[in-house]
Short mmCIF file of all heavy atoms in Angstrom, two decimals:
data_model
loop_
_atom_site.label_atom_id
_atom_site.label_comp_id
_atom_site.label_asym_id
_atom_site.label_seq_id
_atom_site.Cartn_x
_atom_site.Cartn_y
_atom_site.Cartn_z
N GLN A 973 113.29 100.87 101.64
CA GLN A 973 114.55 101.49 101.27
C GLN A 973 114.48 102.98 101.57
O GLN A 973 113.64 103.69 101.04
CB GLN A 973 114.87 101.27 99.80
CG GLN A 973 116.25 101.76 99.40
CD GLN A 973 116.66 101.30 98.01
OE1 GLN A 973 115.81 101.07 97.15
NE2 GLN A 973 117.96 101.16 97.80
N ALA A 974 115.38 103.41 102.44
CA ALA A 974 115.50 104.82 102.78
C ALA A 974 116.60 105.44 101.93
O ALA A 974 117.50 104.74 101.44
CB ALA A 974 115.82 104.98 104.26
N PRO A 975 116.57 106.76 101.74
CA PRO A 975 117.61 107.42 100.95
C PRO A 975 119.01 107.11 101.48
O PRO A 975 119.26 107.22 102.68
CB PRO A 975 117.28 108.90 101.09
CG PRO A 975 115.81 108.93 101.34
CD PRO A 975 115.53 107.71 102.18
N GLY A 976 119.91 106.70 100.59
CA GLY A 976 121.27 106.41 100.97
C GLY A 976 121.49 105.07 101.62
O GLY A 976 122.62 104.77 102.03
N LYS A 977 120.45 104.26 101.74
CA LYS A 977 120.56 102.96 102.39
C LYS A 977 120.12 101.86 101.43
O LYS A 977 119.37 102.10 100.49
CB LYS A 977 119.73 102.91 103.67
CG LYS A 977 120.11 103.95 104.70
CD LYS A 977 119.26 103.86 105.95
CE LYS A 977 119.53 102.59 106.73
NZ LYS A 977 118.77 102.56 108.00
N GLU A 978 120.58 100.65 101.69
CA GLU A 978 120.20 99.52 100.87
C GLU A 978 118.80 99.05 101.21
O GLU A 978 118.29 99.25 102.31
CB GLU A 978 121.19 98.36 101.07
CG GLU A 978 122.60 98.65 100.57
CD GLU A 978 123.51 97.45 100.65
OE1 GLU A 978 123.11 96.43 101.25
OE2 GLU A 978 124.62 97.51 100.11
N ARG A 979 118.17 98.42 100.22
CA ARG A 979 116.86 97.83 100.44
C ARG A 979 116.97 96.69 101.45
O ARG A 979 117.88 95.85 101.37
CB ARG A 979 116.31 97.31 99.12
CG ARG A 979 114.85 96.88 99.17
CD ARG A 979 114.45 96.20 97.87
NE ARG A 979 114.65 97.06 96.72
CZ ARG A 979 113.72 97.80 96.15
NH1 ARG A 979 112.47 97.79 96.64
NH2 ARG A 979 113.99 98.55 95.10
N GLU A 980 116.06 96.66 102.40
CA GLU A 980 116.08 95.62 103.42
C GLU A 980 114.73 94.93 103.51
O GLU A 980 113.68 95.55 103.34
CB GLU A 980 116.48 96.19 104.78
CG GLU A 980 115.51 97.20 105.35
CD GLU A 980 115.84 97.62 106.77
OE1 GLU A 980 116.58 96.89 107.45
OE2 GLU A 980 115.34 98.69 107.20
N GLY A 981 114.77 93.64 103.80
CA GLY A 981 113.56 92.90 104.02
C GLY A 981 112.94 93.22 105.36
O GLY A 981 113.64 93.24 106.38
N VAL A 982 111.64 93.46 105.38
CA VAL A 982 110.92 93.80 106.59
C VAL A 982 110.13 92.61 107.13
O VAL A 982 110.17 92.30 108.32
CB VAL A 982 109.98 94.99 106.35
CG1 VAL A 982 109.16 95.30 107.59
CG2 VAL A 982 110.76 96.21 105.91
N SER A 983 109.42 91.93 106.23
CA SER A 983 108.57 90.82 106.64
C SER A 983 108.18 90.01 105.42
O SER A 983 108.32 90.47 104.28
CB SER A 983 107.32 91.34 107.36
OG SER A 983 106.51 90.27 107.83
N TYR A 984 107.68 88.80 105.66
CA TYR A 984 107.13 87.99 104.58
C TYR A 984 105.99 87.13 105.11
O TYR A 984 105.89 86.90 106.32
CB TYR A 984 108.20 87.08 103.92
CG TYR A 984 108.27 85.69 104.51
CD1 TYR A 984 107.57 84.62 103.93
CD2 TYR A 984 109.01 85.43 105.65
CE1 TYR A 984 107.63 83.35 104.47
CE2 TYR A 984 109.07 84.16 106.19
CZ TYR A 984 108.38 83.12 105.60
OH TYR A 984 108.44 81.85 106.15
N ILE A 985 105.18 86.65 104.17
CA ILE A 985 104.14 85.69 104.49
C ILE A 985 103.98 84.72 103.32
O ILE A 985 104.08 85.12 102.16
CB ILE A 985 102.79 86.38 104.80
CG1 ILE A 985 101.76 85.37 105.30
CG2 ILE A 985 102.26 87.15 103.60
CD1 ILE A 985 100.52 86.01 105.91
N SER A 986 103.78 83.46 103.64
CA SER A 986 103.46 82.45 102.64
C SER A 986 101.96 82.23 102.62
O SER A 986 101.37 81.90 103.65
CB SER A 986 104.17 81.14 102.95
OG SER A 986 103.67 80.08 102.16
N THR A 987 101.34 82.41 101.45
CA THR A 987 99.91 82.15 101.34
C THR A 987 99.60 80.67 101.28
O THR A 987 98.43 80.28 101.38
CB THR A 987 99.32 82.85 100.12
OG1 THR A 987 99.98 82.39 98.93
CG2 THR A 987 99.48 84.36 100.23
N ARG A 988 100.60 79.82 101.11
CA ARG A 988 100.41 78.38 101.08
C ARG A 988 100.29 77.80 102.49
O ARG A 988 99.37 77.03 102.76
CB ARG A 988 101.57 77.70 100.34
CG ARG A 988 101.39 76.20 100.19
CD ARG A 988 102.59 75.56 99.52
NE ARG A 988 103.73 75.49 100.42
CZ ARG A 988 104.81 76.26 100.32
NH1 ARG A 988 104.91 77.15 99.32
NH2 ARG A 988 105.80 76.14 101.19
N ASP A 989 101.22 78.15 103.37
CA ASP A 989 101.24 77.54 104.70
C ASP A 989 101.09 78.53 105.84
O ASP A 989 101.05 78.12 107.00
CB ASP A 989 102.52 76.72 104.90
CG ASP A 989 103.78 77.52 104.69
OD1 ASP A 989 103.77 78.75 104.88
OD2 ASP A 989 104.81 76.91 104.34
N GLY A 990 101.01 79.82 105.53
CA GLY A 990 100.81 80.83 106.55
C GLY A 990 102.04 81.24 107.33
O GLY A 990 101.94 82.05 108.26
N ASN A 991 103.21 80.70 106.98
CA ASN A 991 104.43 81.06 107.69
C ASN A 991 104.76 82.54 107.49
O ASN A 991 104.54 83.10 106.42
CB ASN A 991 105.60 80.21 107.22
CG ASN A 991 105.52 78.78 107.72
OD1 ASN A 991 104.80 78.48 108.67
ND2 ASN A 991 106.26 77.88 107.08
N THR A 992 105.32 83.14 108.53
CA THR A 992 105.73 84.54 108.50
C THR A 992 107.07 84.70 109.18
O THR A 992 107.52 83.84 109.93
CB THR A 992 104.71 85.45 109.20
OG1 THR A 992 104.63 85.09 110.59
CG2 THR A 992 103.33 85.32 108.57
N ASP A 993 107.71 85.82 108.92
CA ASP A 993 108.93 86.18 109.62
C ASP A 993 109.08 87.70 109.54
O ASP A 993 108.45 88.35 108.70
CB ASP A 993 110.15 85.48 109.05
CG ASP A 993 111.32 85.43 110.04
OD1 ASP A 993 111.16 85.85 111.19
OD2 ASP A 993 112.40 84.93 109.64
N TYR A 994 109.93 88.24 110.41
CA TYR A 994 110.13 89.67 110.50
C TYR A 994 111.60 89.99 110.72
O TYR A 994 112.34 89.21 111.33
CB TYR A 994 109.33 90.26 111.67
CG TYR A 994 107.85 90.03 111.58
CD1 TYR A 994 107.28 88.88 112.10
CD2 TYR A 994 107.02 90.98 110.99
CE1 TYR A 994 105.91 88.66 112.02
CE2 TYR A 994 105.67 90.78 110.90
CZ TYR A 994 105.11 89.61 111.42
OH TYR A 994 103.75 89.41 111.34
N ALA A 995 112.01 91.14 110.23
CA ALA A 995 113.32 91.65 110.58
C ALA A 995 113.36 91.95 112.07
O ALA A 995 112.36 92.35 112.68
CB ALA A 995 113.63 92.91 109.78
N ASP A 996 114.53 91.76 112.68
CA ASP A 996 114.66 92.02 114.11
C ASP A 996 114.27 93.44 114.47
O ASP A 996 113.74 93.69 115.56
CB ASP A 996 116.10 91.74 114.57
CG ASP A 996 116.44 90.26 114.57
OD1 ASP A 996 115.52 89.43 114.56
OD2 ASP A 996 117.65 89.95 114.60
N SER A 997 114.50 94.38 113.57
CA SER A 997 114.25 95.77 113.85
C SER A 997 112.77 96.11 113.98
O SER A 997 112.42 97.15 114.55
CB SER A 997 114.88 96.66 112.77
OG SER A 997 114.36 96.34 111.50
N VAL A 998 111.88 95.25 113.46
CA VAL A 998 110.45 95.53 113.51
C VAL A 998 109.67 94.49 114.30
O VAL A 998 108.46 94.66 114.50
CB VAL A 998 109.85 95.65 112.10
CG1 VAL A 998 110.62 96.66 111.27
CG2 VAL A 998 109.82 94.29 111.40
N LYS A 999 110.32 93.46 114.76
CA LYS A 999 109.65 92.37 115.45
C LYS A 999 108.94 92.89 116.70
O LYS A 999 109.52 93.64 117.50
CB LYS A 999 110.66 91.28 115.81
CG LYS A 999 110.05 89.93 116.14
CD LYS A 999 111.13 88.83 116.15
CE LYS A 999 111.76 88.66 114.79
NZ LYS A 999 112.77 87.57 114.76
N GLY A 1000 107.68 92.50 116.85
CA GLY A 1000 106.88 92.94 117.97
C GLY A 1000 106.10 94.20 117.71
O GLY A 1000 105.19 94.54 118.48
#
Side-chain angles (χ1 to χ4, degrees):
Q973 187 169 27
K977 301 180 68 175
E978 294 186 351
R979 190 188 302 263
E980 63 173 341
V982 177
S983 183
Y984 93 95
I985 187 168
S986 168
T987 59
R988 184 183 74 253
D989 57 26
N991 287 342
T992 63
D993 201 4
Y994 301 88
D996 289 342
S997 59
V998 307
K999 198 166 297 182

